[in-house]
Amino acid sequence: MESCIFCRIVEKELQSKIAYEDEEVVAFHDINPQAPIHVLIVPRKHIPTLNEATEEERSLLGKLMLVAQKLAKELGTAESGYRIVLNTNKDAGQSVFHIHLHLLGGRSFRWPPG
Ligand code: AMP
């Protein structure tokens, strides 16, 4: 998807601060961080929202979580705590329609979220 900003980051057409990448997943620091640690974990495959994910993506979706866990450890927030967020559509405030996990850490978070 040429017009998708995260596809362009994955393809390195747009610059980002990469935290992790492999053949299926890319993670990069959020341009507008909401916490001291704010990394986005995205599949290379373009999936607009969680609603479009299928059984075919079962292991890919699991992998996103394991990459989040790995980065939380590497970035030093695994023990103090962190939050994983996956916004879906309007009411959740999704603004980029290429599925992504937010890994947020380095401060405490409230519950319920706003
Ligand atoms: P969401 O609202 O869940 O769709 O999250 C989209 C996130 O992408 C927001 O936190 C933005 O700050 C972030 N974002 C948008 N453009 C870029 C970019 N070029 N590089 C890094 N993060 C971005």
mmCIF file of all heavy atoms in Angstrom, residues 5-6 9 28-32 38 40 87 93-96 100 102, ligand 1:
data_model
loop_
_atom_site.group_PDB
_atom_site.id
_atom_site.type_symbol
_atom_site.label_atom_id
_atom_site.label_comp_id
_atom_site.label_asym_id
_atom_site.label_seq_id
_atom_site.Cartn_x
_atom_site.Cartn_y
_atom_site.Cartn_z
ATOM 1 N N ILE A 5 1.516 5.178 5.548
ATOM 2 C CA ILE A 5 2.743 5.733 6.142
ATOM 3 C C ILE A 5 3.606 4.636 6.780
ATOM 4 O O ILE A 5 4.840 4.678 6.689
ATOM 5 C CB ILE A 5 2.367 6.854 7.139
ATOM 6 C CG1 ILE A 5 3.572 7.676 7.509
ATOM 7 C CG2 ILE A 5 1.668 6.351 8.347
ATOM 8 C CD1 ILE A 5 3.209 8.974 8.198
ATOM 9 N N PHE A 6 2.966 3.636 7.388
ATOM 10 C CA PHE A 6 3.770 2.581 8.025
ATOM 11 C C PHE A 6 4.353 1.632 6.976
ATOM 12 O O PHE A 6 5.450 1.108 7.171
ATOM 13 C CB PHE A 6 2.964 1.832 9.087
ATOM 14 C CG PHE A 6 2.752 2.639 10.356
ATOM 15 C CD1 PHE A 6 1.995 2.127 11.397
ATOM 16 C CD2 PHE A 6 3.317 3.900 10.519
ATOM 17 C CE1 PHE A 6 1.802 2.858 12.574
ATOM 18 C CE2 PHE A 6 3.122 4.649 11.685
ATOM 19 C CZ PHE A 6 2.354 4.122 12.722
ATOM 20 N N ILE A 9 7.436 3.369 5.996
ATOM 21 C CA ILE A 9 8.493 3.213 7.004
ATOM 22 C C ILE A 9 9.119 1.824 6.891
ATOM 23 O O ILE A 9 10.341 1.675 6.896
ATOM 24 C CB ILE A 9 7.925 3.478 8.422
ATOM 25 C CG1 ILE A 9 7.701 4.989 8.598
ATOM 26 C CG2 ILE A 9 8.850 2.929 9.497
ATOM 27 C CD1 ILE A 9 7.019 5.389 9.892
ATOM 28 N N PHE A 28 9.633 0.689 15.659
ATOM 29 C CA PHE A 28 10.310 1.993 15.597
ATOM 30 C C PHE A 28 9.708 2.918 16.658
ATOM 31 O O PHE A 28 8.561 2.740 17.092
ATOM 32 C CB PHE A 28 10.206 2.614 14.190
ATOM 33 C CG PHE A 28 8.822 2.625 13.620
ATOM 34 C CD1 PHE A 28 7.991 3.729 13.800
ATOM 35 C CD2 PHE A 28 8.315 1.540 12.926
ATOM 36 C CE1 PHE A 28 6.706 3.751 13.275
ATOM 37 C CE2 PHE A 28 7.024 1.543 12.410
ATOM 38 C CZ PHE A 28 6.221 2.646 12.582
ATOM 39 N N HIS A 29 10.494 3.918 17.049
ATOM 40 C CA HIS A 29 10.060 4.849 18.090
ATOM 41 C C HIS A 29 8.984 5.787 17.544
ATOM 42 O O HIS A 29 9.106 6.302 16.419
ATOM 43 C CB HIS A 29 11.263 5.619 18.635
ATOM 44 C CG HIS A 29 12.227 4.731 19.364
ATOM 45 N ND1 HIS A 29 12.152 4.503 20.720
ATOM 46 C CD2 HIS A 29 13.242 3.957 18.904
ATOM 47 C CE1 HIS A 29 13.101 3.649 21.075
ATOM 48 N NE2 HIS A 29 13.780 3.301 19.994
ATOM 49 N N ASP A 30 7.950 5.992 18.373
ATOM 50 C CA ASP A 30 6.845 6.862 17.969
ATOM 51 C C ASP A 30 7.352 8.297 17.816
ATOM 52 O O ASP A 30 8.134 8.795 18.630
ATOM 53 C CB ASP A 30 5.719 6.808 19.013
ATOM 54 C CG ASP A 30 4.404 7.334 18.465
ATOM 55 O OD1 ASP A 30 4.308 8.568 18.239
ATOM 56 O OD2 ASP A 30 3.469 6.536 18.259
ATOM 57 N N ILE A 31 6.874 8.969 16.772
ATOM 58 C CA ILE A 31 7.300 10.340 16.472
ATOM 59 C C ILE A 31 6.750 11.332 17.508
ATOM 60 O O ILE A 31 7.303 12.428 17.680
ATOM 61 C CB ILE A 31 6.845 10.710 15.039
ATOM 62 C CG1 ILE A 31 7.723 11.796 14.449
ATOM 63 C CG2 ILE A 31 5.380 11.077 14.976
ATOM 64 C CD1 ILE A 31 7.507 11.986 12.944
ATOM 65 N N ASN A 32 5.699 10.953 18.198
ATOM 66 C CA ASN A 32 5.058 11.836 19.188
ATOM 67 C C ASN A 32 4.846 11.034 20.480
ATOM 68 O O ASN A 32 3.725 10.661 20.832
ATOM 69 C CB ASN A 32 3.720 12.334 18.607
ATOM 70 C CG ASN A 32 3.012 13.274 19.547
ATOM 71 O OD1 ASN A 32 3.641 13.915 20.404
ATOM 72 N ND2 ASN A 32 1.695 13.366 19.416
ATOM 73 N N HIS A 38 8.136 4.711 24.026
ATOM 74 C CA HIS A 38 6.935 4.580 23.187
ATOM 75 C C HIS A 38 7.389 4.078 21.820
ATOM 76 O O HIS A 38 7.889 4.828 20.978
ATOM 77 C CB HIS A 38 6.212 5.926 23.046
ATOM 78 C CG HIS A 38 4.876 5.816 22.376
ATOM 79 N ND1 HIS A 38 3.988 6.863 22.296
ATOM 80 C CD2 HIS A 38 4.258 4.762 21.758
ATOM 81 C CE1 HIS A 38 2.895 6.475 21.652
ATOM 82 N NE2 HIS A 38 3.045 5.204 21.309
ATOM 83 N N LEU A 40 6.428 1.589 18.419
ATOM 84 C CA LEU A 40 5.356 0.975 17.624
ATOM 85 C C LEU A 40 5.891 -0.299 16.995
ATOM 86 O O LEU A 40 6.996 -0.297 16.421
ATOM 87 C CB LEU A 40 4.900 1.949 16.536
ATOM 88 C CG LEU A 40 4.404 3.301 17.043
ATOM 89 C CD1 LEU A 40 4.104 4.233 15.867
ATOM 90 C CD2 LEU A 40 3.182 3.155 17.934
ATOM 91 N N ASN A 87 -5.021 0.137 19.125
ATOM 92 C CA ASN A 87 -6.234 0.908 18.850
ATOM 93 C C ASN A 87 -6.908 0.397 17.584
ATOM 94 O O ASN A 87 -6.233 0.138 16.581
ATOM 95 C CB ASN A 87 -5.877 2.388 18.676
ATOM 96 C CG ASN A 87 -5.394 3.022 19.969
ATOM 97 O OD1 ASN A 87 -5.924 2.745 21.039
ATOM 98 N ND2 ASN A 87 -4.376 3.869 19.878
ATOM 99 N N GLY A 93 -9.474 5.808 18.653
ATOM 100 C CA GLY A 93 -8.515 6.838 18.237
ATOM 101 C C GLY A 93 -7.470 6.354 17.261
ATOM 102 O O GLY A 93 -6.409 6.967 17.133
ATOM 103 N N GLN A 94 -7.747 5.258 16.553
ATOM 104 C CA GLN A 94 -6.769 4.793 15.564
ATOM 105 C C GLN A 94 -6.595 5.858 14.483
ATOM 106 O O GLN A 94 -7.574 6.357 13.922
ATOM 107 C CB GLN A 94 -7.229 3.472 14.926
ATOM 108 C CG GLN A 94 -6.176 2.902 13.963
ATOM 109 C CD GLN A 94 -6.560 1.545 13.376
ATOM 110 O OE1 GLN A 94 -7.660 1.030 13.623
ATOM 111 N NE2 GLN A 94 -5.659 0.970 12.598
ATOM 112 N N SER A 95 -5.343 6.217 14.217
ATOM 113 C CA SER A 95 -5.072 7.249 13.211
ATOM 114 C C SER A 95 -4.258 6.735 12.039
ATOM 115 O O SER A 95 -4.271 7.333 10.968
ATOM 116 C CB SER A 95 -4.360 8.442 13.854
ATOM 117 O OG SER A 95 -3.134 8.033 14.418
ATOM 118 N N VAL A 96 -3.559 5.630 12.224
ATOM 119 C CA VAL A 96 -2.807 5.018 11.120
ATOM 120 C C VAL A 96 -3.393 3.627 10.891
ATOM 121 O O VAL A 96 -3.385 2.785 11.807
ATOM 122 C CB VAL A 96 -1.298 4.939 11.422
ATOM 123 C CG1 VAL A 96 -0.574 4.237 10.277
ATOM 124 C CG2 VAL A 96 -0.711 6.330 11.651
ATOM 125 N N HIS A 100 -0.808 -1.974 14.447
ATOM 126 C CA HIS A 100 0.428 -1.755 15.212
ATOM 127 C C HIS A 100 0.138 -1.860 16.702
ATOM 128 O O HIS A 100 -0.925 -1.451 17.158
ATOM 129 C CB HIS A 100 1.054 -0.396 14.899
ATOM 130 C CG HIS A 100 0.101 0.760 15.024
ATOM 131 N ND1 HIS A 100 -0.818 1.073 14.046
ATOM 132 C CD2 HIS A 100 -0.079 1.663 16.022
ATOM 133 C CE1 HIS A 100 -1.529 2.133 14.423
ATOM 134 N NE2 HIS A 100 -1.113 2.506 15.621
ATOM 135 N N HIS A 102 1.303 -0.420 20.345
ATOM 136 C CA HIS A 102 2.076 0.594 21.056
ATOM 137 C C HIS A 102 2.691 -0.096 22.277
ATOM 138 O O HIS A 102 1.963 -0.722 23.062
ATOM 139 C CB HIS A 102 1.169 1.704 21.590
ATOM 140 C CG HIS A 102 0.487 2.530 20.544
ATOM 141 N ND1 HIS A 102 0.870 3.821 20.233
ATOM 142 C CD2 HIS A 102 -0.576 2.269 19.746
ATOM 143 C CE1 HIS A 102 0.063 4.316 19.302
ATOM 144 N NE2 HIS A 102 -0.829 3.397 18.994
HETATM 145 P P1 AMP B 1 -2.829 5.088 16.426
HETATM 146 O O1 AMP B 1 -3.472 6.359 16.877
HETATM 147 O O2 AMP B 1 -3.020 3.937 17.365
HETATM 148 O O3 AMP B 1 -3.187 4.755 15.006
HETATM 149 O O4 AMP B 1 -1.275 5.379 16.480
HETATM 150 C C1 AMP B 1 -0.549 5.942 15.439
HETATM 151 C C2 AMP B 1 0.761 6.389 16.025
HETATM 152 O O5 AMP B 1 1.671 6.592 14.956
HETATM 153 C C3 AMP B 1 0.697 7.717 16.789
HETATM 154 O O6 AMP B 1 1.154 7.495 18.130
HETATM 155 C C4 AMP B 1 1.643 8.624 16.011
HETATM 156 O O7 AMP B 1 2.375 9.494 16.836
HETATM 157 C C5 AMP B 1 2.537 7.630 15.299
HETATM 158 N N1 AMP B 1 3.154 8.084 14.066
HETATM 159 C C6 AMP B 1 2.542 8.692 13.022
HETATM 160 N N2 AMP B 1 3.436 8.944 12.050
HETATM 161 C C7 AMP B 1 4.637 8.471 12.488
HETATM 162 C C8 AMP B 1 5.947 8.422 11.940
HETATM 163 N N3 AMP B 1 6.207 8.920 10.727
HETATM 164 N N4 AMP B 1 6.938 7.869 12.672
HETATM 165 C C9 AMP B 1 6.673 7.373 13.899
HETATM 166 N N5 AMP B 1 5.461 7.379 14.473
HETATM 167 C C10 AMP B 1 4.459 7.913 13.779
#
